[in-house]
Amino acid sequence: MKINSPLEVYKYLPQTNCGECGEATCMAFGSHVIDRSLKLEDCTPLLEDKYKKKYLELSELMAPEIREVTIGMGEHAVTVGGDDVLYRHQLTFFDQPAFALDVWDTMKEAELVERVTFIKDFKKFYVGRFLKLDMIAVRSTSGDPGKFRTAVSKVMETTELPLILCSFDPEVLSAGLEVAAKRRPLLYAATRDNWQAVADLVLEYDVPTVLFAPNDLDTLKSLAGTFLEMGRQDLVLDPGTNPQGKMLRESFENFLKLRRAGIKEGQRDVAFPLMSVPMTAYLTGGDAVSSSYWETVLATVFSVRYGDIMILHSIEPYALLPEMHIRDTIYTDPRTPVKVEPKVYEVGTPGKDSPVIVTTNFALTYYTVESDLASNGINCYLLAADTDGLGVEAAVAGGQLTGKKINDEFKKSDFDFSEKTSHNTIILPGLGARLQGDLEDATGLKVMVGPQDSGQIPPWMDKNWPPGKKV
Amino acid sequence: MAKKITLAELGSLFNGMDVEALEGVTIEGDIELEMDTSGGLNPQLAYMLGHETAQIAQHLINISRLMGYPVDQLFGSMAQAAVPGVTRPQELLRSKFEVARMVEWKNPIQEVILGATSADGGSRGNTITLGGENALPYYFDSPMPHRNYITMDVFDMPIGMAKAVKVNYEDVINSPAEWAKKVVKDFNADMVTIHLISTDPNIKDTSAKEAAETVADVLQAVDVPIVIGGSGNPDKDPEVLEKAAEVAEGERVLLASASLNLDYERIAKAANQYGHVVLSWTQLEINAQKELNRKLMKQCNVKREDIIMDPTTAALGYGLDYAYTNMERIRLAGLNGDNELSFPMSSGTTNAWGARESWMVRSPLKEDSDWGPREYRGPIWEIVTGLALALAGNDLFMMMHPGAVAVLKEITQNLHGSLDREAVDISSWVTAEV
């Protein structure tokens, strides 16, 4: 973004305070445009002919420093790029890195279908939603256009996930495009050697493309400039991902340099999404587990520092889970609140015999506990005690969660145990076990210590609930 | 050579004349056209000149063809890509990529030495220096003077551990000294942390004197620099750490930790008196970290070279986003000139084992895909948690799993540039059979 204050945005707006965007004033709308929680297009009057010039000027000024590139069509389309800052705390990062898992055209058909099905269905619940994988990268290992076309077709029959077509041979890419062009795949890749023929394909089919110049930023910039000259904006840059040693360090530096040039120095001809290929970990000759581990390590490095698309090979859950979590970690919006409102929540439809469970108001802790309870059909009262957004262990260690505090919180919520429950019992989280005596003294109620992890509440309940249960 | 004339000159020559056509233009001798369309040439004239040069080009092509040169091949791809309005460069534009170094990072991170050899009144075999950075980790702006180091956890009593961790320590779990030897000898630990958790009145209430004996045993068993950790009980820790500091006099240990919720003055005083370093621990709060560091320096007279910070580590998936950004902000603030935050950092990376993904047999949620074998999940959870913080600016890692230690060491030293590994040809990764 070239401008960063609501006042500057305001100058381009109709200034009528019409309220159509849902905000009371044009100034308020401007501040939401700046933090990118609203789009310019949400101001419908601005799209009218009389404001068209201002709209276009403002669009140009508000465009993110790193161009956004969309791959695929419809609801599965993936958009990458879009960043305006070098560090997430300066605003937030947009468009989390897309993870593409590979298949290859020498796979047996049944294996390919099984692998693609696994990739498209893999999911992990996390704070109210599922983490998932995004794309399929089809590699031509045969070098045969016919085989590639068949493999691409098979993948398309199996999933609607967007595709990356991978070959350095334009004839192979062309065969893939014949069947996949309508899905707007990403071409991989134009290089110093094949760029003219790949450019022909890009122009003919109007698809986004990766430019690949391993360990050579001059050539990468030359390729980008050349494709820009041809009017192509949908570009992704791959400076090469060396898997180890001093060359890995050089790859890391190249990502830093490209992103700094794009965001800090406004070098438009390199301000594109970056591709990293952690699967080069498999070129180092290690065994399957070491290679999978190392690929995860590389995916972590480039999720933290500026990779926008990754091509990955391992489908082991021990690789996929940390990879999906680290990108979520880096791309979660730091402006969203850490805390939920401290109060007693009802999970399901609790009655007098339902348990009363204590946790903290750290959003992550609360949502984890809440989803474990709800997913297992446990009706209960759940206190999110105000710990200033700390988890249980930290809050107990730091004195933000004490017996007195918990008692006060129930009182603040007007939660009367003798009226709401038949058991006068509180369940403490296992990590807060040391508060048991303290809480009994403060409340005069019976206090039980639950499991250390809320995922173990169901078996714990079977054993321990209702209180006094004989096993 | 014929006289050179630029378009701009030509433009001014004809300026004001109502030229409709250039008749009888012939160009002889060397042809040299300087195109500078910013020179105020009127569009009509430019068009006509373009027409003339195109004619010349056409003549030259015809001549070349007559001479037998395969001209059409030369223009083949241009004809093929006859997309209207698209220019097709025939060659790659030549560009040079450049980017500036960060001039804003002017303030180096404090260097802190851990451990003391006999030359300095201690008995360690080596010392370890942390800090000294002038840039974010592994950035090209300035070399990172010291690599990352790993100190492995040893406890003064058997504790609950994830299965994947526990199998490595079953033979030494009752002897802190043997445990310490094992992590140094077998697992390549740079340092050892002895956690005196049994001193907690709610656990075993081991006396400070007894705990100090355990520290002496560990110092005897290994000759790497050590960290001494309390139980985390704010009432007991000052007394425990004082005694431990006394028995370790001169060894320049890291005392873990001083925090705002206990009597940090006592910890600071013990460090000053017996020549140790203080770990300044706060909970994911940059301003609290500033406050505690300031108090340690101003109120307790701890020297800058005797402070390391622990801004708290949350596990991957359980608040690592806060821990990561907190550390990155602290490091950037330090580099940009905030002297209350320009200290090396330490991470309790072992906290990663608190994440259910690292130890649970399977997901408690029915909707999840299979999580796969947990013995591989746990170590990578510890690695990714540590690696993210390494990239944010963390210097020292407190860790538990030997496999995780090995991999984190390998990747941080790769990024640091201090390891030679065989170069791999990545140019044909697409066709790799894996």
Side-chain angles (χ1 to χ4, degrees), chain B residues 145-183:
Chain B
H146 310 290
R147 69 167 170 92
N148 304 91
Y149 290 94
I150 292 173
T151 176
M152 288 182 77
D153 295 325
V154 169
F155 294 85
D156 69 345
M157 62 177 274
I159 56 147
M161 285 181 251
K163 203 174 158 213
V165 177
K166 199 163 154 191
V167 293
N168 299 290
Y169 301 115
E170 270 160 345
D171 55 334
V172 293
I173 204 153
N174 289 304
S175 165
E178 290 306 310
W179 192 338
K181 271 188 205 163
K182 185 168 191 181
V183 297

Side-chain angles (χ1 to χ4, degrees), chain A residues 372 452-457, chain B residues 162 318 353 355-365 371-375 377-378:
Chain A
D372 285 340
Q452 301 234 337
D453 187 290
S454 58
Q456 292 169 318
I457 291 177
Chain B
Y318 296 83
W353 289 93
R356 55 169 57 169
E357 288 82 352
S358 68
W359 59 268
M360 261 192 193
V361 179
R362 65 183 69 84
S363 173
L365 297 174
W371 281 9
R374 64 169 165 174
E375 58 268 38
R377 256 188 275 126

Side-chain angles (χ1 to χ4, degrees), chain A residues 87-89 121-126 130 139-141 166 168 188 195-196 200 203 212 217-218 221-223 225-226 229-230 240-246 248-249 252-253 256-258 260-261 264-265 267 277 279 282-283 293-294 296-297 300-301 304-305 311 313 317-318 321-322 325-326 329 332 338 362 364 368 372 375-376 394 397-398 400 434 453-456, chain B residues 80-81 86-102 104-105 136-141 200 202 261 283 316-322 324-325 328-329 332 356-357 359-360 364-372 376-377 379-381 383-384 387-388 391 407 410-411 414-417 419-422 424-427 429-434:
Chain A
Y87 311 106
R88 61 190 290 275
H89 68 266
D121 292 340
F122 192 83
K123 60 179 183 172
K124 162 80 163 45
F125 186 81
Y126 185 60
F130 284 99
R139 294 189 295 126
S140 167
T141 44
C166 305
F168 298 118
Y188 188 96
W195 68 271
Q196 282 175 308
D200 291 340
L203 291 166
F212 177 48
L217 295 183
D218 291 342
K221 181 171 164 165
S222 300
L223 280 166
T226 307
E229 182 98 347
M230 290 184 275
T241 304
N242 288 283
Q244 62 185 15
K246 297 203 161 76
L248 167 57
R249 176 168 165 117
F252 178 75
E253 287 181 358
L256 301 179
K257 286 176 177 172
L258 286 166
R260 184 184 294 175
K264 190 159 183 280
E265 300 187 1
Q267 297 188 30
V277 185
M279 78 165 275
Y282 282 84
L283 304 178
Y293 257 53
W294 198 250
T296 309
V297 159
T300 300
V301 169
V304 172
R305 295 286 183 226
I311 296 187
H313 178 68
Y318 63 76
L321 295 177
H325 272 291
I326 189 64
T329 295
T332 285
V338 190
F362 179 37
L364 264 159
T368 303
D372 285 340
S375 150
N376 287 289
Q400 290 88 352
R434 70 159 90 152
D453 187 290
S454 58
Q456 292 169 318
Chain B
Q80 192 189 343
V86 173
T87 43
R88 274 301 301 268
Q90 290 309 299
E91 281 178 30
L92 273 187
L93 298 178
R94 268 191 225 142
S95 311
K96 182 121 188 70
F97 178 85
E98 278 172 38
V99 71
R101 284 169 197 267
M102 288 291 295
E104 294 90 332
W105 295 340
L136 280 178
Y138 327 122
Y139 273 50
F140 54 95
D141 301 275
D200 189 324
N202 299 322
N261 68 9
Q283 289 174 290
L316 175 63
Y318 296 83
L320 179 61
D321 45 337
Y322 308 115
Y324 170 86
T325 279
E328 190 169 71
R329 287 181 66 199
L332 286 169
R356 55 169 57 169
E357 288 82 352
W359 59 268
M360 261 192 193
L365 297 174
K366 298 170 187 75
E367 300 86 349
D368 274 2
S369 298
D370 189 349
W371 281 9
Y376 295 131
R377 256 188 275 126
I380 194 77
W381 222 261
I383 293 163
V384 171
L387 178 52
L391 290 160
V407 176
E410 178 74 20
I411 182 61
N414 269 271
L415 291 171
H416 183 244
L419 271 190
D420 272 322
R421 291 284 178 263
E422 198 186 329
V424 172
D425 177 15
I426 56 166
S427 64
W429 72 268
V430 166
T431 51
E433 301 276 354
V434 295

